[in-house]
Amino acid sequence: MSKIESRIHELGYALPSAPAPAGSYANCVRTGNLLFLAGGIPPIDDDTYLGKVPTDTSIETAQDAAREITLNRLAVIKDEIGDLDKVSRIVNVGGFVNSEPNFYQHPDVINGCSDLLVNIFGDKGIHSRTAMGASALPLNVSVEINMIIEIN
């Protein structure tokens, strides 16, 4: 088990299997030493992570969704490069929150992702970020996240 995967387990999380793309796109595109990850959504086994924040889904539940997506995206990275220890930097996170027009706490929701990345990768997990609201997201999920990752 890699050092990063061990850290994930120490934090009480498990790395899922990388999902197959759900449409006409690639989960990840590599160019040089950068990985561009497509937007990931949370599990939709039930309605836990569905709907608008904060009316259908609480901020705390949406933060959980952001953490689930982060683990999902890390699984995509592992699938692409074989070992999460090859990640040299989390460069950028793009976070989208399915929210009501008068909701302004998008950064609080996406902190679920950002904080987990820093807890896992330390200084290599500090990244630039966009956190914004959307009037709708695919399958009515509450959160969608994409990333740019530098690898060695």
Side-chain angles (χ1 to χ4, degrees), residues 25 49 105:
Y25 64 90
Y49 300 127
Q105 294 175 270

Side-chain angles (χ1 to χ4, degrees), residues 3-140:
K3 189 169 84 170
I4 293 299
E5 285 185 78
S6 293
R7 179 68 181 144
I8 291 168
H9 287 283
E10 286 172 19
L11 293 169
Y13 298 102
L15 203 60
S17 299
S24 300
Y25 64 90
N27 264 332
C28 180
V29 172
R30 181 178 183 170
T31 182
N33 64 341
L34 293 177
L35 301 178
F36 291 80
L37 277 70
I41 63 173
I44 54 170
D45 302 333
D46 57 34
D47 63 357
T48 302
Y49 300 127
L50 299 181
K52 294 206 177 290
V53 180
T55 52
D56 302 321
T57 302
S58 70
I59 293 171
E60 294 77 17
T61 300
Q63 289 169 330
D64 288 342
R67 284 186 280 276
E68 292 284 342
I69 296 166
T70 303
L71 295 168
N72 173 290
R73 298 296 82 193
L74 294 178
V76 169
I77 295 166
K78 181 181 177 188
D79 192 56
E80 179 70 21
I81 63 174
D83 184 351
L84 291 175
D85 289 349
K86 293 179 182 177
V87 171
S88 58
R89 182 82 196 234
I90 308 298
V91 177
N92 183 267
V93 167
F96 305 89
V97 180
N98 182 1
S99 61
E100 300 291 351
N102 61 347
F103 180 74
Y104 305 108
Q105 294 175 270
H106 310 102
D108 293 341
V109 171
I110 304 305
N111 281 345
C113 169
S114 295
D115 293 344
L116 182 57
L117 288 170
V118 172
N119 285 331
I120 292 170
F121 290 97
D123 287 346
K124 295 189 301 185
I126 299 170
H127 52 273
S128 64
R129 183 179 85 178
T130 300
M132 61 183 287
S135 62
L137 290 174
L139 305 175
N140 196 32

